[in-house]
Amino acid sequence: MIQFLINTLPFLWQGLLVTLAVSGLVVASSLVSGVLFGVGLVYGRWWIAWPIRVYSDILRGTPLIVLIFLIIYGLPLVGIDFGNYASAVIALAAFKTAHVAEIARGAIQSIHFGQTDAGKAIGLTFRQRLQYVIMPQAVRRFLPPWINAVADAVKGSALVSLAGIVDLTLATQQVIGRTYDPLPMYLLAAAMYFAINYSLSMASRRLESRFAYVRE
Amino acid sequence: MSDNETRARRDFLKLGGLGLAVGAAAAATLDAQKAAAQSAPTSQLRTVLNRGKLIVGTGSTNAPWHFENDKGELTGMDIAVARILAAGLFGAGRDAKEDLSKIEFVKQDPASRIPNITAGKVDIVIQFMTVSPARAQLVAFSRPYYVEGVALLTSSKGKYKTHKELIDAGKNAKASVLQNVDADQLVARGLPQAQVMQLDTQANAIQALDSGRSDAAVIDLSTVGWLVKRNPDKYLDSGFHYDTQLYSAAMRQGDPDWLQWVNTCLNVAMHGHQTEIYDAAFEEFFAAKPPRRVPGFPTI
């Protein structure tokens, strides 16, 4: 049994790398676009805030699997085809962006408006207020839910296996398809996902304590 | 010169080209590339030949149809059929590696089989696809390359090993089967009195047999052949096979040239003079030999 598991490790390792790559791309791109969208939601004029609100509500109200299939099979109908890998990553990132935008909005809005007023009173510009007053405080409230969202993205990346991308999930199913022995493989895959997500939550704890006090 | 005249002249030239092609074929000097130029200009056959590569939609998680072997290479009966087509298209066929280098496999979930055809992501789907009139409204099926059935897998450690023993056990026999709307009837056609245990995957139905929770796993005949071949001291074929379903390759509708070519190639590979790849795969994956081909009256 142990030998069998060791033999399957190289296959799962390839899948694990794909899972990490997909998750990494999704997390990085959704962090950038999500924070921008979040700032737009809070401070943007109506013609910025409204489209973001509509985007966020639609995306968060759509099942992820539907979104993936929509981009993979819907866009080629109008002549756009990114290929399965890019399509799946775009779908996951678009979905995650909506969530990150809401987390960022909540974090920013949770900072009392007195802080903004105080910033204005000492003559800080909008950029300076964001950079020195609002964001350093908002980041602390942003981190815990964001790490949750990241762990969610790692688990959600398993859906790319439905698009035929050989991530950890599909790599596991491929081994099961050959051996017809599912249980040890599922346990091994679960352990791998857990290892990723547990290290994420460890990292998050460190980050949170790192941002828990304001540096002089 | 009016448009009509131009068209008439072009058609005349095409006719001339066709005549030339027929002549050349008779002289056996025409290669497939040129002949493809005579097929309808939009045919997938022509696209594939020009591309020099066949794009096949298939899976990677179901032995013995399409799965990765211990070396991580895609193999199985579906892959062998893809190889037959590649050998026919690009004139290889002596070397598996060379044939496979002419194929791009798009790994897909079974649920993506029809969408990937209609979205034009693949030239052909070869993924243990059951032919049904409903599906045939959406895609064009090739001739069947296998007739799948249902069989009863038993364990060499189990109480009941043969179909007769299972029948005699009556209500005491437990059968595990993949969850389905008609799973109860499916089991009943093989074992009328047995208790039915429905599970979410075929692998789990087999797992139930392994752990002794069921006496027989009611699964695909091809899977039984594969498992018994791989683990002869662990599994047995109870010997009763029933319920037929046709497995075919599927293509986009509205392309008779492509469909006709695929059918011709499969006919030759199953009934003609180039049966080596098909026979070797049949033996490797189903532990059985195709019936001997008898010259004379065509049985296809």
Side-chain angles (χ1 to χ4, degrees):
Chain A
M1 175 61 85
I2 298 294
Q3 191 55 43
F4 165 69
L5 288 179
I6 290 171
N7 287 345
T8 62
L9 277 178
F11 297 100
L12 297 197
W13 175 248
Q14 288 301 321
L16 182 67
L17 291 183
V18 171
T19 290
L20 288 176
V22 169
S23 313
L25 281 170
V26 168
V27 167
S29 54
S30 67
L31 177 63
V32 174
S33 51
V35 168
L36 284 177
F37 279 21
V39 172
L41 268 177
V42 180
Y43 298 109
R45 287 170 194 277
W46 67 268
W47 49 269
I48 296 178
W50 270 59
I52 297 175
R53 166 77 20 242
V54 170
Y55 170 86
S56 167
D57 283 352
I58 290 179
L59 272 272
R60 285 183 306 142
T62 313
L64 183 47
I65 186 74
V66 174
L67 195 63
I68 292 176
F69 282 142
L70 209 60
I71 293 187
I72 289 181
Y73 296 113
L75 290 187
L77 294 182
V78 292
I80 309 167
D81 192 351
F82 296 114
N84 281 8
Y85 185 82
S87 298
V89 170
I90 289 171
L92 288 168
F95 187 73
K96 200 42 71 183
T97 294
H99 287 261
V100 175
E102 294 299 332
I103 295 171
R105 179 190 59 79
I108 295 168
Q109 282 180 337
S110 74
I111 306 302
H112 196 269
F113 62 84
Q115 299 279 335
T116 305
D117 290 345
K120 280 180 183 165
I122 59 171
L124 296 180
T125 63
F126 174 66
R127 237 199 86 178
Q128 287 171 325
R129 287 202 303 274
L130 268 190
Q131 193 177 343
Y132 298 117
V133 181
I134 308 295
M135 283 306 184
Q137 304 182 71
V139 127
R140 274 180 262 165
R141 301 190 178 164
F142 175 79
L143 273 179
W146 179 69
I147 295 283
N148 270 344
V150 169
D152 216 38
V154 175
K155 288 183 279 178
S157 74
L159 286 176
V160 303
S161 62
L162 293 175
I165 295 155
V166 188
D167 72 330
L168 184 51
T169 301
L170 189 51
T172 309
Q173 283 167 349
Q174 285 183 346
V175 176
I176 296 170
R178 172 170 81 234
T179 60
Y180 285 98
D181 197 3
L183 206 56
M185 297 315 301
Y186 282 140
L187 287 175
L188 198 57
M192 283 180 161
Y193 277 112
F194 177 77
I196 300 173
N197 281 335
Y198 191 67
S199 20
L200 276 174
S201 64
M202 295 290 278
S204 114
R205 255 174 248 168
R206 294 194 64 161
L207 271 177
E208 280 166 36
S209 56
R210 156 78 181 68
F211 283 102
Y213 65 94
V214 180
R215 280 182 300 166
E216 293 301 318
Chain B
M1 195 187 291
S2 80
D3 277 352
N4 272 344
E5 273 170 341
T6 315
R7 207 171 299 136
R9 180 172 287 192
R10 280 190 193 143
D11 285 345
F12 177 71
L13 284 174
K14 268 189 204 159
L15 265 179
L18 193 65
L20 275 179
V22 169
T29 54
L30 187 78
D31 63 48
Q33 204 87 32
K34 285 183 196 141
Q38 306 303 326
S39 65
T42 50
S43 174
Q44 199 67 19
L45 174 60
R46 196 174 184 179
T47 311
V48 171
L49 285 170
N50 287 342
R51 193 197 294 131
K53 217 164 201 183
L54 176 68
I55 302 178
V56 176
T58 192
S60 54
T61 58
N62 294 282
W65 291 98
H66 38 257
F67 63 102
E68 288 198 331
N69 62 16
D70 298 333
K71 290 180 215 136
E73 300 157 343
L74 208 53
T75 183
M77 192 64 194
D78 285 334
I79 309 306
V81 172
R83 204 193 133 196
I84 286 168
L85 297 180
L89 281 164
F90 308 112
R94 277 180 210 92
D95 177 40
K97 277 227 164 60
E98 195 185 333
D99 294 338
L100 291 173
S101 73
K102 301 279 190 188
I103 309 172
E104 183 186 330
F105 287 107
V106 173
K107 289 181 183 173
Q108 57 187 21
D109 191 72
S112 302
R113 288 177 296 192
I114 291 178
N116 274 353
I117 293 171
T118 42
K121 285 180 179 276
V122 296
D123 298 322
I124 190 166
V125 161
I126 310 173
Q127 192 175 7
F128 63 10
M129 198 163 175
T130 302
V131 180
S132 76
R135 282 176 175 170
Q137 294 170 8
L138 303 169
V139 293
F141 281 111
S142 73
R143 61 151 295 142
Y145 56 85
Y146 187 72
V147 182
E148 184 62 288
V150 178
L152 312 170
L153 183 75
T154 52
S155 166
S156 50
K157 286 178 289 184
K159 267 183 287 180
Y160 319 111
K161 294 183 179 66
T162 64
H163 184 239
K164 190 175 177 307
E165 285 171 8
L166 285 163
I167 290 277
D168 291 345
K171 282 183 188 157
N172 291 325
K174 287 191 232 74
S176 52
V177 65
L178 173 68
Q179 203 167 53
N180 213 324
V181 265
D182 61 349
D184 282 337
Q185 292 96 300
L186 178 77
V187 174
R189 285 195 291 276
L191 300 169
Q193 288 181 298
Q195 301 170 41
V196 181
M197 180 192 298
Q198 295 199 23
L199 297 159
D200 59 338
T201 63
Q202 190 157 283
N204 283 344
I206 298 163
Q207 185 96 337
L209 176 72
D210 291 343
S211 60
R213 286 189 292 133
S214 77
D215 301 303
V218 181
I219 55 176
D220 288 344
L221 170 62
S222 60
T223 311
V224 169
W226 172 250
L227 287 173
V228 170
K229 187 180 175 183
R230 269 178 68 108
N231 311 290
D233 37 274
K234 190 172 171 194
Y235 296 119
L236 301 164
D237 178 353
S238 77
F240 184 57
H241 307 156
Y242 60 106
D243 277 17
T244 55
Q245 48 182 327
L246 307 178
Y247 280 180
S248 283
M251 286 146 278
R252 214 172 186 165
Q253 288 185 329
D255 192 348
D257 285 340
W258 179 223
L259 177 63
Q260 174 68 9
W261 184 86
V262 168
N263 280 336
T264 306
C265 186
L266 290 180
N267 279 341
V268 173
M270 293 169 65
H271 295 278
H273 63 289
Q274 294 173 337
T275 57
E276 298 83 4
I277 302 178
Y278 186 90
D279 289 359
F282 205 89
E283 209 165 336
E284 180 179 355
F285 300 118
F286 306 138
K289 272 189 198 313
R292 200 174 80 84
R293 282 87 175 179
V294 185
F297 186 78
T299 50
I300 57 172

